[in-house]
Structures are given as structure tokens and as C-alpha cells.
Amino acid sequence: MFNNFKNVDKIVYGRGAFDQLDDILSVQRHHNDGFMVFVVDHYFHDKQEFINRIPVKEKDVIRFMDVDPKEPTTEQIDELRDTVLAENGLPAGIIGIGGGSIMDIAKAGSLMFTNEGSSSLYQGLNLVKKPGIYHAGIPTISGTGAECSMTAVLSGPEKKLGLKCDWTVFNQVILDPDLTATVEKNQWFYTGMDTYIHCIEAESGQFFNTYSQVYGDQSLKLCREIFTGENAGQTPVNNEKLMMASLFGGLSLTYSEVGACHALSYGMSFVFGTKHGYANCLAFNHLEEFYGDAVAEFKDMVKQNNIDLPQNLSKDWTDEQISQMAEIAYNLPHMWRHAIGDDWESKWTRQDIEKLYRRL
Ligand code: NAD
Ligand code: ZN
């Protein structure tokens, strides 16, 4: 069976494109109880000049959400949905303005406004029963590909896993590279590397194909321009390029699969709350047998951009924490099937995964 991939309905791209949001929303406002919910990264809560540009109308709800130190949880989504429904009614739409965390909150929130019970019931593929409400994503940091993916990744009581279905995909995305100008350098790198790693993982496994390759090649070319050579660094031109690299990396990944690095990263996020991009970098640095020369290229990018990437973390981890992470990672069969093959279970054990964690 080939992937029948649902794309984002509409995309606006360009520096300053954010100011089109008011026009874009005006035709959506009459649905349901006629108001919008804006979910905005906490970083912007005191950035008045930016807040003034968000088209919040009288009945709208604006929520600044703190995604540090933990990434979005099912509990947060349920609370958001329950409070808004009780106090304001059913929104016409939900707009996420922030990184992968905030965009995933908007995607999951959209679905949970129309589906009953806790969002933890829907972690998995095609478990959502009804379409959600209108939802738009506006990245303020580039790399995750959450702007175009079919999934909204949440940490629940038992697992870190996405709500994945056609209805998860955004109706509208606004790509305005200027919004990313203020990202702190290490965070810029960690999240930026998410797209590099998506492309390398997509091409390093059995589900790789030409569709995935054409997007991945372009994204990797942009990553090399952004993170290596004399033009490397966080410049306005590179912010433009990284926003497109993120989109293309997401499209490459969506039509292939991630592998060992993301499996290890999910384990760390679940057990320690380690941020996704950072956890990927920590793992990727030690996965030569899966990703070959790309690991050397990654190390070079770390060096050229003067990025902090701590070593010897596992010396402070207990055996119990390591086996808990390995359990989470092992239970992502689609990733191992991609990386190792259909017979991965006969070749790969929880102990092999523990060994990888002990290298970190
Ligand atoms: P993030 O959203 O967690 O944000 C990282 C940090 O950057 C936060 O401290 C935030 O406040 C800050 N920040 C964001 N924009 C800023 C700006 N313009 N200026 C200054 N600071 C800013 O980071 P992320 O790496 O984009 O997202 C990680 C999340 O995305 C994880 O929850 C992960 O599971 C998810 N993810 C989802 C998908 C998907 O397909 N849905 C793919 C990959 C990752
Ligand atoms: Zn990722």
C-alpha cells in the first residue's frame, strides 16, 4: 500500500506574511460560536509589538503557553479544550503561533474540540473519529516539519505518540521567516537539526523512495548552506532557507519514515522531558552504524556553529531509567522496521537499545 498523503490546504510564504492573518481568518470566523482561539508560545507574552499584530477580536481567546521544560502533554490539550468549551463555546478555529510544540497543541486541540474524552485515547494512527475545527499553524522557529505533517505529537500517561490522521493536517500555514529572528542560537541549531536528521533518517531505511528523495535532497542542500561554510549562521537569508528546509524535510519524512535516532529521542523526551531537537542531536552524535558519514557531517556542523552538545550524560542515568527509555523506544516498531527491516524483531532487542543509550 502506498501512502495517500494529505497536504496542507493553503500556504503563504514570505517575510512579513504574518500580517495577512487577519484577512485569512475573516472568512472563517462565522463557523460554530464565531470566535478564534490563539495559542501563542510563552516567549511572546511580553513582546507587545508582536502581540499587537495578532488579530484578536472581541470574542477571541488568546492563550500564552509555556512549552518549557516539557513538551505538550495530553493533559494540557484536555484542559485547554474543556476550559474553552465551558467558558466560551465551540471555536470557529484554532491558530498555533510558535514552534513544533505549539503547532502540535493547535493540531491536537482542533481534533479534541470535536472528539470526546481524553486526547490520550487517540494517540496512534487513524483513531480520531470526527474531523476537527479549522486550524492554522504559524512557525516561529524552523525545523520540526510540524507545519506540514499528519501528526500532532503528545506525551500521554503511557507514551509519547502522535494523533495521526488526515484531519490533523493544517488548513492553513503561514511561513514568515522574520518571526524566527529571535530564537536563541543553541535552540536554533537543535530544532534546525531536526530537519537535517529527518532527511538523513528518511533516506536510511527501506521506505525511502523518489518522492521522499526529491524533497530531502533540497532540504539537505539548504541545511548545508545554512550550517556549513562561510555563510553559515543565523542570518535573515538563512532564516528564509531554514523555513523552507523544514517544510521540505517534513515532506520528505512524511513520505518515508524516521528511524533509530527518533526512537531514542522519544525515549529521552518521555523519561526526562528532553526537548525533541536537542534529544535528537544527543542521539545522532553516536549513531555512526545507522547514519555513516552524516554523523561526521553533523559533528562538523556542531563545531562550525559553536554549539553546546554535552557528553557522558548516561553516567548519571540509573539502570531503571535506561530500561524505561529502551522500552519506549522499542515500542516504536514502524521506526525500527524502516531502519532495520521487516525482520527487525529477530535482529534487535531492548538490550541493544540500552547499549545505544549507554553511549550518550
Ligand atoms: P518548541 O516549540 O518546543 O520551542 C523551543 C523553544 O524555542 C521554546 O523555548 C520556545 O519558547 C522558543 N521559541 C520559539 N519561537 C521562538 C522565537 N521566535 N524566539 C525566541 N524563542 C522562541 O521547539 P521545536 O523544536 O520547534 O518543537 C519541538 C516539538 O515539536 C516537540 O514537542 C516535538 O515532539 C514536536 N515535533 C512534532 C513534529 C510533528 O510532525 N508534529 C515533528 C517533529 C517534532
Ligand atoms: Zn523530529
Side-chain angles (χ1 to χ4, degrees):
M1 277 277 278
F2 298 103
N3 229 339
N4 196 358
F5 172 57
K6 166 81 171 68
N7 234 318
V8 174
D9 296 342
K10 289 187 158 191
I11 299 184
V12 182
Y13 170 82
R15 291 171 63 182
F18 182 73
D19 293 324
Q20 283 173 235
L21 182 59
D22 195 9
D23 279 353
I24 287 170
L25 295 184
S26 63
V27 290
Q28 303 294 339
R29 286 184 170 278
H30 60 280
H31 296 296
N32 303 325
D33 291 322
F35 69 98
M36 291 287 168
V37 175
F38 295 89
V39 180
V40 185
D41 190 290
H42 185 75
Y43 167 80
F44 295 102
H45 82 282
D46 57 357
K47 308 289 180 291
Q48 201 53 50
E49 216 176 297
F50 180 69
I51 296 172
N52 292 343
R53 293 171 63 199
I54 306 175
V56 181
K57 311 283 182 202
E58 205 188 327
K59 285 166 67 186
D60 292 351
V61 176
I62 181 163
R63 272 261 202 136
F64 292 93
M65 292 184 77
D66 193 353
V67 294
D68 295 319
K70 266 211 133 197
E71 293 179 333
T73 60
T74 52
E75 220 175 304
Q76 269 179 313
I77 302 299
D78 299 348
E79 186 277 330
L80 173 71
R81 184 257 327 258
D82 293 343
T83 312
V84 171
L85 282 180
E87 293 178 2
N88 310 82
L90 183 63
I94 179 166
I95 323 300
I97 305 174
S101 300
I102 294 288
M103 287 191 280
D104 281 353
I105 292 174
K107 287 158 97 175
S110 151
L111 298 169
M112 294 316 300
F113 274 113
T114 53
N115 286 273
E116 280 154 28
S118 167
S119 49
S120 60
L121 298 170
Y122 304 100
Q123 285 180 283
L125 180 63
N126 291 332
L127 301 178
V128 176
K129 297 190 173 55
K130 295 180 209 160
I133 60 170
Y134 175 86
H135 52 306
I138 306 174
T140 64
I141 176 171
S142 300
T144 63
E147 61 275 21
C148 64
S149 76
M150 282 177 62
T151 184
V153 185
L154 301 179
S155 287
E158 282 160 24
K159 53 196 168 199
K160 175 174 173 175
L161 194 64
L163 279 60
K164 190 170 181 184
C165 68
D166 282 0
W167 298 316
T168 314
V169 181
F170 279 122
N171 300 110
Q172 174 78 55
V173 165
I174 297 182
L175 300 177
D176 181 346
D178 279 349
L179 302 184
T180 66
T182 50
V183 175
E184 183 274 327
K185 191 180 77 172
N186 282 297
Q187 185 66 56
W188 162 78
F189 184 84
Y190 302 144
T191 297
M193 277 299 111
D194 197 17
T195 198
Y196 175 80
I197 294 171
H198 288 161
C199 298
I200 299 295
E201 289 198 276
E203 70 179 26
S204 311
Q206 64 164 331
F207 300 129
F208 191 50
N209 56 73
T210 310
Y211 184 115
S212 175
Q213 185 188 356
V214 291
Y215 286 114
D217 283 355
Q218 193 59 40
S219 177
L220 286 171
K221 177 174 171 284
L222 290 168
C223 285
R224 289 175 182 129
E225 291 169 13
I226 298 159
F227 296 109
T228 66
E230 59 187 35
N231 296 323
Q234 217 176 349
T235 61
V237 171
N238 282 345
N239 288 341
E240 291 186 7
K241 290 181 179 175
L242 190 53
M243 197 155 254
M244 289 312 294
S246 173
L247 178 71
F248 275 44
L251 292 168
S252 176
L253 152 67
T254 296
Y255 220 81
S256 178
E257 191 46 88
V258 285
C261 180
H262 270 67
L264 295 186
S265 167
Y266 273 40
M268 277 184 270
S269 295
F270 188 84
V271 173
F272 297 115
T274 316
K275 302 284 278 178
H276 180 74
Y278 179 52
N280 280 348
C281 289
L282 293 173
F284 196 80
N285 205 27
H286 297 278
L287 292 174
E288 277 89 352
E289 71 271 53
F290 284 95
Y291 307 118
D293 293 346
V295 177
E297 184 173 53
F298 167 81
K299 287 180 199 282
D300 193 41
M301 289 175 177
V302 171
K303 207 163 143 201
Q304 283 198 46
N305 293 279
N306 293 317
I307 298 303
D308 309 324
L309 198 62
Q311 306 291 321
N312 301 321
L313 293 171
S314 63
K315 72 176 183 344
D316 299 323
W317 297 343
T318 64
D319 289 348
E320 202 187 354
Q321 285 169 328
I322 291 175
S323 71
Q324 201 189 350
M325 286 191 285
E327 186 63 30
I328 296 284
Y330 187 83
N331 283 301
L332 293 163
H334 49 295
M335 299 185 191
W336 299 114
R337 192 170 296 122
H338 174 58
I340 296 173
D342 288 334
D343 55 349
W344 70 275
E345 280 165 300
S346 64
K347 295 181 173 160
W348 196 240
T349 65
R350 290 167 174 82
Q351 287 68 40
D352 292 321
I353 301 175
E354 288 187 14
K355 274 189 212 148
L356 294 181
Y357 277 120
R358 287 185 199 283
R359 287 183 194 171
L360 269 55

